[in-house]
Amino acid sequence: MSDRIKGKCLCGSVTIALDQTRPGVDVCHCSMCRQWSGGPFLSLRSVQPEAMDIGGREHVSIYASSDWAERAFCSKCGSNLWYHCKPGGHFSFLAGLFDLPEGYAMLEQIFIDEKPPYYTFADDTPTMTGAEVIAEAEAAGHTFD
């Protein structure tokens, strides 16, 4: 387990402290994440609620982006904060909110089948298509109705 990492939104109204058990950055190329973040969603993933401490919750706005997911942003400065997958219960935080310690690298890219041709990462990482991501989650008992 790595040390606790700390981050904040652009204006500092929302602060985040995480006990990050999986040091690294994941990338989602799905069209919804790209529309939400303006590019691929680079995140710290699979953070459970007991491993996070959010300050300034009164400035957090939640948007239900689907029946099974929510996205949060700071209501003061508009910074995107996290993606919450309700069936799995995990939260994925935008990596750019944190001053990450050395050793963090790109670990995985998902929804690779939705990645547009106008960008490419040099890192050679494991990849999964959208169908593979959903199948893995459903095999773990999560439903996406």
Side-chain angles (χ1 to χ4, degrees):
M1 180 183 233
S2 64
D3 293 332
R4 182 165 259 224
I5 57 174
K6 296 179 180 180
K8 62 182 178 180
C9 66
L10 186 60
C11 71
S13 294
V14 179
T15 59
I16 303 163
L18 304 176
D19 294 325
Q20 185 65 24
T21 59
R22 189 173 182 262
V25 175
D26 292 318
V27 180
C28 182
H29 299 285
C30 82
S31 59
M32 192 177 295
C33 279
R34 285 185 290 109
Q35 189 171 17
W36 177 55
S37 67
F41 175 38
L42 294 112
S43 70
L44 308 178
R45 89 168 155 130
S46 297
V47 178
Q48 295 298 320
E50 60 274 8
M52 54 191 234
D53 182 21
I54 309 296
R57 282 192 181 265
E58 67 273 16
H59 302 295
V60 174
S61 290
I62 304 289
Y63 171 68
S65 57
S66 69
D67 290 339
W68 47 271
E70 300 172 330
R71 297 168 192 266
F73 63 94
C74 173
S75 62
K76 288 185 76 176
C77 68
S79 293
N80 291 329
L81 302 170
W82 65 77
Y83 166 88
H84 174 217
C85 180
K86 295 189 295 185
H90 79 271
F91 291 75
S92 297
F93 289 84
L94 277 86
L97 299 171
F98 302 88
D99 185 17
L100 296 173
E102 286 197 37
Y104 273 66
M106 189 182 302
L107 299 176
E108 180 179 49
Q109 298 180 59
I110 62 171
F111 286 85
I112 195 70
D113 53 320
E114 294 187 31
K115 185 188 87 53
Y118 57 81
Y119 68 83
T120 301
F121 291 114
D123 299 45
D124 184 21
T125 64
T127 61
M128 294 176 75
T129 65
E132 291 169 330
V133 170
I134 299 298
E136 182 179 272
E138 288 175 341
H142 306 301
T143 58
F144 300 89
D145 296 327

